[in-house]
Amino acid sequence: MSTRNPNMESSIYLGGDGRWHGRVTMGVKNDGSPDRRHRSATTEPEVKRKVRELEKQRDKGRAPAAGRKPTVEGWMTTYLTTIASLKLKPRSLDDYWSKTRNDIIPGIGKHRLDKLQPEHLERMYRAMLDEGHAPSHVLKVHRILSRALKIAHRRRLIVENVATLVDPPSVDETEANPFTKEEAKAFLEAAAKRPTFVRWIVGVGMGFRQGETLGLRWSYVDLEAELFHPKWQLQRLTWRHGCDDPHACGARLHRFEPCPPDCITHKTYKRGCPKPCAKTCTKHASTCPQRKEGGLVFTRPKTKKSQNPVPIPPVFVPLLRDHKEEQDAMRAAAGELWQEHDVVFCRPDGCPIDPRQDWEEFKELLAEAGVDDRRLYDGSRHTAGTILNELGVDMPTIMEILRHTQISQTRRYVKGRSHLSKDAMRRMGEFFVPGPQSPSQGPTETTTETTDTRTARARRRRRIR
């Protein structure tokens, strides 16, 4: 009789090296050959335990794919290059790459993907916090890594997503700091002295994002119907290489050694000297002769809801008409130097306004108006939501104006005011404990001469009877 085991049955034996070995049939590989996994241990019970665990994974369909597992660095590169790039917006993809290069790869990049443990992530997060990174930054790194490991788990490269076993640092939500009504008026009074006044009227008065405001084009402005159609936004994207060898293309800009302590080359850099290049650096795409997908670019808003039309306040329409006439005069004065981009807000040569230049002007206007420093988002989007709420507009309507997908998001944009809370609690107190009644003003022409009530007069009549 044959001693061969049935199909899919594992085999356990004592090898010539004195160790126990187990062979588990998992199926077939991509090339059609049998997929046999090997486990070994010093004792028979231990190798049996390993074999049973592998069989359970096989029977549940959770067994990792065959072949040597990549390192975290290799998988993150594959994930960002061929998977995330198909779904993420360019700015988001740049952010993923930045945090991968600067945080994930230096922290845990050399670990094999299937050998990664929760302790490795926790030590990396602790080191990032000790280096001075904000908890919100660490949380973003955790989410990027967790998403990449989730895809690896789906493809059976790993048995479990270890990021789900780690609690990232808790983050306190950044408190909004919108303009008060007085501050908003002071800001717009300062902006009225500049040619960009209408840009700030739209940003502060309608709650448009910076990219949406700078990306507005006359083709999507309907002054007759008094509607804005924010179909596009203006963003500055990172250049990408269009050549076949990005590393060689940027060879003259590679810098593999750190700067000396007394570096004068980068003394004007606000964040200090840049980090040295990696040995396989593929950056410096801005100097590539075939560079692509960078610079100031019109992109679609992130969500479909963001493209919904927004009503223009009627008082803004004359301002927009005057602004268009001034732009036509500016076009005629520029002559051949004019570059037509159809944008509502442009430079004297017709090109779109750079977001960085726009941000600097916002800071200048804050100083001129005597308003405390704050984020551009606070002075536009948060301000519009808060003032709409103070004017008595209900939350669903504010959500439609700001084009949010969830009302919970709108509530984070609306900040309560102390004077509104004080007035609300005053009315609450008067409901439970009514105040003293005002003194009677005396009889009027419509009252009778006696102050007796009808009940008192009826009671007197009964006594007389």
Side-chain angles (χ1 to χ4, degrees):
M1 179 181 290
S2 172
T3 59
R4 181 178 177 180
N5 290 339
N7 290 338
M8 304 301 288
E9 185 172 333
S10 306
S11 58
I12 298 176
Y13 58 91
L14 180 63
D17 57 356
R19 293 178 61 86
W20 286 87
H21 299 267
R23 302 282 179 177
V24 183
T25 302
M26 307 298 292
V28 293
K29 299 179 181 178
N30 293 334
D31 59 0
S33 60
D35 181 8
R36 295 272 288 176
R37 309 285 177 90
H38 173 251
R39 295 291 185 269
S40 67
T42 56
T43 63
E44 184 178 9
E46 179 65 15
V47 78
K48 285 183 176 179
R49 184 190 64 78
K50 292 183 177 182
V51 166
R52 284 196 300 269
E53 182 179 347
L54 192 57
E55 288 175 340
K56 287 181 180 178
Q57 294 176 4
R58 177 195 65 191
D59 296 339
K60 292 181 179 180
R62 296 180 58 188
R68 185 174 179 81
K69 302 300 179 289
T71 61
V72 174
E73 178 179 0
W75 172 246
M76 290 303 301
T77 302
T78 301
Y79 167 69
L80 294 177
T81 304
T82 62
I83 302 173
S85 59
L86 300 177
K87 185 175 181 180
L88 293 178
K89 296 286 185 180
R91 288 283 292 273
S92 298
L93 184 62
D94 287 344
D95 185 51
Y96 274 45
W97 270 114
S98 174
K99 289 179 172 56
T100 298
R101 283 192 301 261
N102 298 326
D103 300 304
I104 296 177
I105 292 178
I108 56 174
K110 301 303 180 184
H111 285 287
R112 252 179 56 179
L113 199 62
D114 58 332
K115 300 294 184 182
L116 194 63
Q117 298 297 322
E119 294 77 15
H120 299 148
L121 273 62
E122 291 166 346
R123 283 196 291 267
M124 179 179 71
Y125 298 160
R126 182 69 266 168
M128 291 173 64
L129 292 172
D130 292 341
E131 291 173 3
H133 288 292
S136 58
H137 178 90
V138 180
L139 180 60
K140 288 180 182 178
V141 171
H142 172 78
R143 288 173 175 170
I144 293 170
L145 182 59
S146 179
R147 178 63 183 173
L149 294 178
K150 182 179 180 180
I151 300 298
H153 180 234
R154 284 181 184 173
R155 301 188 178 193
R156 300 182 184 177
L157 294 176
I158 54 177
V159 176
E160 188 173 21
N161 179 0
V162 296
T164 60
L165 307 178
V166 177
D167 291 329
S170 57
V171 178
D172 294 332
E173 187 174 340
T174 303
E175 186 176 358
N177 187 23
F179 291 149
T180 63
K181 292 180 181 179
E182 294 73 20
E183 289 173 339
K185 290 180 179 179
F187 179 87
L188 292 177
E189 285 175 2
K193 305 173 185 177
R194 298 187 178 228
T196 54
F197 172 59
V198 181
R199 177 263 177 271
W200 298 110
I201 277 285
V202 172
V204 177
M206 300 184 64
F208 270 41
R209 302 175 180 91
Q210 183 192 38
E212 293 171 344
T213 308
L214 301 182
L216 270 177
R217 288 186 276 184
W218 289 112
S219 305
Y220 300 94
V221 178
D222 190 346
L223 295 179
E224 298 300 327
E226 299 180 352
L227 287 175
F228 276 143
H229 298 272
K231 298 291 185 182
W232 297 91
Q233 59 182 350
L234 186 72
Q235 289 185 326
R236 179 170 289 283
L237 303 182
T238 304
W239 288 104
R240 305 185 188 280
H241 283 277
C243 56
D244 296 331
D245 191 352
H247 179 70
C249 180
R252 67 182 181 85
L253 298 175
H254 292 324
R255 186 177 53 84
F256 301 111
E257 299 297 330
C259 291
D262 55 346
C263 173
I264 61 173
T265 305
H266 308 109
K267 63 180 180 180
T268 59
Y269 283 37
K270 294 182 179 179
R271 299 184 180 180
C273 296
K275 294 182 179 180
C277 297
K279 296 300 181 182
T280 58
C281 177
T282 58
K283 297 190 291 186
H284 317 298
S286 59
T287 61
C288 177
Q290 304 173 26
R291 64 182 186 178
K292 58 181 182 180
E293 301 176 7
L296 287 178
V297 179
F298 288 100
T299 62
R300 291 289 188 183
K302 191 172 183 179
T303 63
K304 190 174 181 180
K305 187 72 176 287
S306 297
Q307 302 181 34
N308 287 355
V310 182
I312 304 175
V315 295
F316 288 5
V317 175
L319 296 175
L320 287 166
R321 293 187 189 277
D322 294 342
H323 176 73
K324 191 171 185 180
E325 292 177 1
E326 293 174 3
Q327 194 178 85
D328 292 339
M330 194 163 52
R331 182 187 293 106
E336 296 181 355
L337 299 178
W338 183 267
Q339 301 181 43
E340 186 58 61
H341 292 276
D342 194 37
V343 288
V344 177
F345 309 110
C346 64
R347 300 186 315 195
D349 60 354
C351 292
I353 299 175
D354 190 293
R356 181 70 186 184
Q357 178 186 348
D358 182 72
W359 177 85
E360 290 174 351
E361 184 179 26
F362 173 75
K363 296 297 182 178
E364 293 173 1
L365 290 172
L366 288 178
E368 292 176 13
V371 179
D372 294 338
D373 187 35
R374 65 198 66 200
R375 301 176 304 169
L376 176 56
Y377 224 59
D378 288 334
S380 55
R381 205 153 171 78
H382 285 288
T383 295
T386 301
I387 293 181
L388 283 170
N389 184 51
E390 291 181 6
L391 295 175
V393 181
D394 59 273
M395 203 63 67
T397 304
I398 299 176
M399 182 182 75
E400 289 299 318
I401 293 173
L402 298 181
R403 290 157 291 131
H404 288 151
T405 55
Q406 295 179 344
I407 200 165
S408 59
Q409 186 180 9
T410 307
R411 291 194 178 98
R412 292 199 298 270
Y413 275 68
V414 175
K415 182 178 181 181
R417 297 294 191 192
S418 58
H419 69 274
L420 294 179
S421 301
K422 187 175 181 179
D423 180 65
M425 295 311 295
R426 177 188 60 78
R427 289 185 281 122
M428 186 73 163
E430 290 177 354
F431 172 78
F432 286 107
V433 184
Q437 298 293 330
S438 58
S440 175
Q441 301 296 325
T444 64
E445 294 181 358
T446 58
T447 58
T448 59
E449 295 181 1
T450 177
T451 58
D452 288 346
T453 63
R454 181 182 300 178
T455 305
R457 291 197 298 272
R459 197 176 292 121
R460 259 198 319 274
R461 285 196 298 268
R462 285 197 294 272
R463 285 200 299 269
I464 293 172
R465 292 173 184 171

